[in-house]
Amino acid sequence: MREIPRVLYVRRIAALLTLGALTGCGNCNCTVPGFHGPAGATPGPGATPTPAATPTPVPVPTPTPTPVPVAVSCAQNAITGAGVPLGTDATFAVLAGSTVTNVGPTIVSGNLGVSPGTAVTGFGAGNGIVIDGSIHAGDGVAARAQLDLTTAYNNAALRTDPMAVPADIGGMVIPPGLYKAPVSLAITGNVTLDGQHNPNAVFIFQMASTLTTAVDSSVTLINDANACNVFWQVGSSATLKTASVFSGNILALDAISLGTGTTVAGRLLARNAAVTLLSNRVTEPGP
């Protein structure tokens, strides 16, 4: 058999190696990223590795911020129909129909008035005092306030589609809304009114008969609830017993009586009968 010339043999081996490089990574060196060549071979000086694919970034949606309600005055809130329009009663902390009586060092912040009655007793000479307001005993200012109280009372009483609450709301957390008691309403312990971070949130409680708070009971406001936007429409009389801590505007058809040491952030507005105070602090929360 004739031998293959050495030169021809070397050329055939080189051709086979080149063919392997062109047909993929079978029997080739894939240890260098982007380079395909014979096993054991390395990229030459001019070789350019195949660049790795760049992932396309996925856009992240920007969350829409929750709008924050802008606080308005309670008078403006009433204009929109949400709150109860108090008119000139917005400047009063205490208003009675027949008399206002007090025993002890009561402090009333805001106007105090009575109409059509004229009697105010227990203020001055070491007894109760009125600050940031005046006493209006049977004058035109008190008469106008009583007219506005009638309007406010009817506005709260005639609202429709209330949600029902039990006869005693002590222990409950209540969101804004219109509520109606079965007949009378009691508060034993603490009731929490949650404004849900809306400073204009309105709470209206309707009751055909009495409102009574137990001794040491409280009405707590949280999450921007405002006492000037809380209304208690009482079909007869309201009694806040000793050491109660109360919030909101009482609109009573008849009398309002406070036990010793009871404090009120709100208004005591009685249409036809007396308001009785015993060493209390009553602060009208502003218009």
Side-chain angles (χ1 to χ4, degrees):
M1 180 180 296
R2 192 159 56 97
E3 292 185 1
I4 299 174
R6 180 177 178 80
V7 174
L8 183 58
Y9 177 78
V10 171
R11 288 177 179 175
R12 288 183 178 178
I13 292 300
L16 289 173
L17 292 175
T18 301
L19 179 62
L22 295 175
T23 56
C25 270
N27 194 31
C28 70
N29 177 18
C30 291
T31 61
V32 180
F35 175 75
H36 300 286
T42 57
T48 303
T50 304
T54 302
T56 302
V58 178
V60 178
T62 302
T64 302
T66 302
V68 178
V70 178
V72 300
S73 72
C74 293
Q76 290 174 304
N77 210 20
I79 291 173
T80 68
V84 174
L86 291 176
T88 60
D89 290 325
T91 66
F92 278 80
V94 175
L95 179 66
S98 59
T99 63
V100 177
T101 62
N102 170 65
V103 175
T106 291
I107 301 174
V108 174
S109 298
N111 286 334
L112 180 150
V114 56
S115 180
T118 59
V120 176
T121 62
F123 286 86
N127 290 312
I129 61 173
V130 174
I131 62 175
D132 299 324
S134 304
I135 295 178
H136 298 276
D139 63 10
V141 174
R144 176 56 198 236
Q146 277 292 353
L147 291 175
D148 289 343
L149 175 55
T150 299
T151 300
Y153 180 93
N154 290 336
N155 180 283
L158 296 176
R159 296 199 181 206
T160 58
D161 299 323
M163 293 174 280
V165 291
D168 192 327
I169 57 175
M172 296 180 65
V173 178
I174 301 178
L178 173 65
Y179 301 95
K180 189 176 184 66
V183 178
S184 295
L185 184 67
I187 301 173
T188 303
N190 177 70
V191 61
T192 301
L193 306 185
D194 183 358
Q196 300 183 337
H197 304 290
N198 180 0
N200 308 312
V202 173
F203 303 79
I204 301 175
F205 296 89
Q206 300 170 327
M207 59 217 76
S209 187
T210 59
L211 169 66
T212 305
T213 67
V215 173
D216 293 321
S217 64
S218 57
V219 177
T220 301
L221 307 183
I222 64 171
N223 294 329
D224 297 320
N226 190 330
C228 73
N229 283 320
V230 179
F231 302 91
W232 308 84
Q233 178 264 316
V234 182
S236 59
S237 296
T239 302
L240 311 182
K241 292 185 178 180
T242 300
S244 295
V245 178
F246 191 82
S247 295
N249 306 285
I250 296 179
L251 315 176
L253 184 63
D254 294 323
I256 302 174
S257 300
L258 272 58
T260 303
T262 289
T263 62
V264 176
R267 300 177 177 89
L268 307 176
L269 308 175
R271 291 180 59 188
N272 297 312
V275 173
T276 302
L277 306 171
L278 293 171
S279 299
N280 307 120
R281 180 69 188 259
V282 183
T283 307
E284 64 93 359

